[in-house]
Amino acid sequence: MPKAFALIEGDSADSDRVIIVRGEIDVGNTAALRDWLVRASAGGRRSVTVDLSGVRFLAISGLYVLCEEQHRMAAHRSRLTVVCDDPRALQLIAVCRLEDTLHVVPSRSRGAARTPWSADDDARADRLAAWLERYTAQSA
């Protein structure tokens, strides 16, 4: 059974942390993903890039964890950038109607530069809050 493995990079206080994930993200290891995100983001206070280019499988439970962390980070005006070019993972994001909610880029070179929080980020955060509310209501 393949497990997910993560490497967290970025030590300077003014740079985003980068979490490079390899393997599979499923219901069995989403708690580890949540822990990595919380630690890397300093409880939501620091922007994080999650590089999923080495992930072979992404379950909706992993996608939900990414959404939860982005929601927590938005309260501190920190940004979560997801690096993903896998067609299956991108299809999952689209099916869940998150393509205009999460900040997804195809490569780390096209990630979020250190730019100030913007009105686009506010709009993305509002869409995410509404999505989480709908998702939670449907799961109850």
Side-chain angles (χ1 to χ4, degrees):
M1 172 184 336
K3 297 288 183 188
F5 170 78
L7 172 66
I8 301 174
E9 302 178 342
D11 292 326
S12 67
D14 63 343
S15 70
D16 290 359
R17 298 299 289 280
V18 177
I19 303 174
I20 303 169
V21 184
R22 303 279 185 249
E24 297 182 358
I25 299 174
D26 59 25
V27 72
N29 55 25
T30 54
L33 177 63
R34 181 177 288 112
D35 185 51
W36 297 330
L37 286 165
V38 169
R39 281 192 269 150
S41 72
R45 291 173 173 75
R46 187 173 183 179
S47 292
V48 174
T49 296
V50 180
D51 186 340
L52 300 179
S53 57
V55 170
R56 295 183 307 272
F57 175 78
L58 175 64
I60 194 164
S61 58
L63 186 57
Y64 184 77
V65 167
L66 293 172
C67 290
E68 281 182 318
E69 186 59 24
Q70 175 54 73
H71 184 64
R72 182 178 10 267
M73 293 169 68
H76 300 283
R77 299 174 78 85
S78 297
R79 187 179 293 122
L80 178 74
T81 300
V82 178
V83 177
C84 180
D85 64 354
D86 178 70
R88 292 171 297 172
L90 293 172
Q91 184 178 23
L92 176 64
I93 291 168
V95 165
C96 292
R97 298 182 181 176
L98 291 168
E99 63 269 28
D100 65 344
T101 303
L102 288 176
H103 184 235
V104 180
V105 296
S107 68
R108 282 175 57 188
S109 64
R110 296 190 48 203
R114 291 294 290 181
T115 57
W117 188 265
S118 69
D120 287 342
D121 293 308
D122 283 331
R124 201 172 9 255
D126 290 343
R127 288 189 299 267
L128 179 58
W131 184 88
L132 286 168
E133 189 175 308
R134 283 190 311 271
Y135 184 85
T136 303
Q138 291 174 356
S139 298

